[in-house]
Amino acid sequence: MRSADPAMVPAAGADAAAGADAAAGGPAGSPAAEAEPQLADGVARLRRGMRRAARARGRDGSLPGELSVAQLELLSALADTPGLRPGQLARSLRLAPSSVATLVNGLLRDHMITRTGGSRDRRTALIELTAAGQQAVTAWQQVNAQILRAALAGMTEASRDALLASLPALRELADAVDALADTADPAAG
């Protein structure tokens, strides 16, 4: 029996690594793979910066309805997908059901949402925005637009043009990240 040439035998996991390379935009050492850490850092810094700027505005009362960022994000999720149940909201936002229950109770008290049905089991109730809740979402979108407008004003014209040109790719990236959140294995940790 002839033994295989070690150079011709793929290493364990080579197929998985090749698949990961393709999914990541190319093999290790490619321009796309080398840019990934910078892109990940840039997106993370933007996300943190947007939240910090929004919270800074909130300290002087300019967040809509004097709500927290978490409450506004829950309202935004309901605006995107009306009539969710509490468990669906928790999965959508990747929050613990108890955290969603706390947010829902506060928003009910503030008349930002309604809960219908589920009189015996609140988990089966449908949660919907009220007119005040929709106004808060619209105002939240305006806060985010104001933050971006102020930040863009401090950038060079070339950088602003580059950002505008990248909007289709940014939308595609956001959709891909959302899809990952929707299909992630909760047991994976």
Side-chain angles (χ1 to χ4, degrees), residues 29-105:
S30 71
E34 289 178 12
E36 278 181 16
Q38 293 173 354
L39 178 60
D41 181 60
V43 169
R45 289 180 61 211
L46 175 61
R47 188 181 68 239
R48 282 191 309 270
M50 290 291 295
R51 285 181 174 266
R52 286 183 65 236
R55 285 186 187 109
R57 287 173 172 267
R59 278 195 281 279
D60 63 15
S62 63
L63 277 185
E66 298 185 20
L67 300 171
S68 70
V69 172
Q71 289 173 312
L72 289 162
E73 290 198 1
L74 185 142
L75 292 174
S76 296
L78 283 172
D80 291 342
T81 311
L84 291 175
R85 289 184 166 76
Q88 293 170 315
L89 261 173
R91 282 188 298 281
S92 171
L93 296 170
R94 294 295 212 189
L95 292 173
S98 60
S99 296
V100 168
T102 299
L103 291 169
V104 164
N105 288 334

